[in-house]
Amino acid sequence: MKKLIISLILMLPFAALSAQEELTYFLPKTELRFRILVEKSEYTPGEFAKYSERFLRKAADDKPSTTYRLVGINMFTTAIPDSSKQFTVPLDKKHTIFTVDCASNGILMAINAKRKEATIPEDFVPAKPAPTINPHDYMSEEILSAGSLSKMAELTAREIYDIRSARNDLNRGEADYMPSDAGQMQIMLSNLDKQETILTQTFQGVTRRDTTQYELTFIPEGDTGKEVLFRLSKYLGLVDNDDMGGVPYYIKVEDLKIIPELKTVADGEKRSKDDAGITVNQPGKIRVCILESDRTLAQFEAYAAQYGSLTSLSSNLFSKKVTSHVQLNPVNGLVESLETEPVD
């Protein structure tokens, strides 16, 4: 008989290791985790905003503002111990249970096998902000030395119209100095576009956008109606769920009544009356919908431990003749791998 080994991430205070007669464990409860991406837009009016309609025939707001909007939502699942599902593994000479692997929180992960780690998606990484450009660096000496803001705006608008005219001449092949090849042509057009954009910002202003990731947790139980998952205010961003100033985004969970089949006895064997005492999850499949009012924004499906049912593994999977290697899903407790082999 192989030496009995108890493999744990941490020494659990509730595990009776000294006696080596049984090990207490929990089955998981699946929690839904949502990563919410919220874009913040900060508008800074241009230096000549109040002259925009006069010189560019296009109105511009002369007051700064900040707004928020939802740009993405993703879901993944993690697990916490289910206090209502506490069981024990027998550790005696009657059963070929050599290693029991539990997470630090007591959730059963594997028996006579290497645990499978939960996969957590990578965090959202925002793009680096664009460098700040000073429009005065693109203004002529005549503009910068103008005696009033109104005159500066007039001269800047004239410069913008000159840039547009020069670009049109290049595209038509009518410029005084035409580039010698397509590469030079593209460089000249690109430079003109950049100059126009920067000078136009002195009238139309600049909007800088930054996206922030927020993470929310929801533990479903049964079929849920529409429940508020979060609220988002156009002018304040993510707010408390009881803040009526934010637009509510709802979650709805539906039990699909789908439970995967599970092998619980060894091939060619009948279930033994001497139960090994190893209880596992047969998780159920759920559908999760995120809604704004009655409009579905996102829909996900997953297996959750608190749906479905419990079952026990027959002791003949761990008899003196046969041993089994069991690997459980770290999030919902499903037996993902069960291999049997004869004992030497």
Side-chain angles (χ1 to χ4, degrees):
M1 177 70 69
K2 296 180 182 178
K3 183 179 179 181
L4 187 65
I5 301 172
I6 308 301
S7 173
L8 296 172
I9 292 291
L10 295 177
M11 299 299 290
L12 302 177
F14 49 78
L17 300 181
S18 57
Q20 293 192 342
E21 295 179 352
E22 62 182 28
L23 172 68
T24 301
Y25 68 90
F26 292 98
L27 293 181
K29 176 178 286 188
T30 303
E31 58 182 7
L32 311 179
R33 287 188 175 268
F34 298 92
R35 285 183 174 169
I36 313 296
L37 297 181
V38 177
E39 182 186 77
K40 177 183 180 181
S41 298
E42 291 184 291
Y43 168 74
T44 302
E47 183 179 5
F48 311 134
K50 65 180 180 179
Y51 301 106
S52 183
E53 188 169 15
R54 176 180 172 185
F55 293 122
L56 295 185
R57 304 293 187 268
K58 188 176 182 181
D61 194 342
D62 61 354
K63 292 181 175 58
S65 63
T66 300
T67 58
Y68 299 84
R69 70 184 184 102
L70 179 70
V71 294
I73 181 167
N74 291 297
M75 187 192 85
F76 64 100
T77 53
T78 55
I80 58 174
D82 190 335
S83 60
S84 68
K85 296 179 181 178
Q86 181 177 343
F87 304 97
T88 58
V89 179
L91 305 175
D92 53 45
K93 294 181 180 180
K94 295 180 181 180
H95 303 103
T96 53
I97 298 176
F98 307 121
T99 64
V100 179
D101 197 352
C102 291
S104 59
N105 56 11
I107 294 178
L108 182 65
M109 304 287 279
I111 301 172
N112 298 335
K114 184 178 179 180
R115 70 162 62 199
K116 177 182 178 181
E117 299 292 345
T119 301
I120 304 297
E122 294 184 359
D123 286 329
F124 169 78
V125 179
K128 293 182 179 180
T132 302
I133 297 175
N134 184 358
H136 284 204
D137 293 340
Y138 290 80
M139 292 181 181
S140 65
E141 183 179 354
E142 182 184 8
I143 296 174
L144 294 174
S145 60
S148 66
L149 196 65
S150 175
K151 187 62 176 179
M152 288 182 68
E154 180 184 355
L155 294 175
T156 301
R158 187 182 301 168
E159 183 73 11
I160 292 171
Y161 289 124
D162 287 344
I163 290 171
R164 293 176 181 175
S165 178
R167 183 173 54 233
N168 289 336
D169 289 343
L170 281 172
N171 286 323
R172 296 168 184 163
E174 299 174 355
D176 293 337
Y177 300 99
M178 289 299 297
S180 59
D181 56 48
Q184 286 187 352
M185 177 75 161
Q186 187 57 46
I187 291 173
M188 293 178 68
L189 289 173
S190 179
N191 287 335
L192 289 171
D193 288 342
K194 182 178 180 180
Q195 292 175 46
E196 181 186 355
T197 297
I198 293 171
L199 292 178
T200 301
Q201 288 175 352
T202 62
F203 291 92
Q204 294 294 303
V206 178
T207 299
R208 299 194 181 280
R209 295 178 174 85
D210 182 36
T211 301
T212 300
Q213 173 184 284
Y214 299 89
E215 190 165 299
L216 306 174
T217 300
F218 184 86
I219 301 176
E221 298 288 350
D223 283 333
T224 67
K226 287 169 55 178
E227 295 186 28
V228 176
L229 181 63
F230 64 95
R231 287 180 180 270
L232 183 66
S233 165
K234 181 178 180 180
Y235 301 106
L236 299 175
L238 212 63
V239 297
D240 293 338
N241 279 8
D242 58 358
D243 188 337
M244 297 299 106
V247 174
Y249 289 80
Y250 299 98
I251 182 171
K252 184 178 180 181
V253 179
E254 177 187 0
D255 184 356
L256 298 179
K257 309 295 184 183
I258 298 174
I259 302 175
E261 293 185 3
L262 175 63
K263 174 184 176 182
T264 59
V265 297
D267 293 337
E269 298 284 344
K270 294 182 179 180
R271 178 174 288 277
S272 171
K273 295 181 180 179
D274 176 24
D275 196 304
I278 301 176
T279 303
V280 295
N281 278 326
Q282 285 185 275
K285 196 172 189 180
I286 60 174
R287 178 179 294 125
V288 181
C289 295
I290 308 300
L291 308 99
E292 180 185 11
S293 186
D294 291 324
R295 182 170 66 96
T296 300
L297 299 180
Q299 184 170 285
F300 310 94
E301 290 187 357
Y303 281 96
Q306 55 269 42
Y307 296 78
S309 60
L310 295 176
T311 191
S312 61
L313 302 180
S314 173
S315 63
N316 65 30
L317 291 169
F318 306 96
S319 67
K320 293 181 178 180
K321 298 179 181 180
V322 175
T323 190
S324 299
H325 307 279
V326 182
Q327 188 181 72
L328 305 178
N329 183 288
V331 172
N332 56 50
L334 172 69
V335 176
E336 291 193 333
S337 175
L338 195 161
E339 299 178 357
T340 59
E341 63 178 352
V343 175
D344 296 334

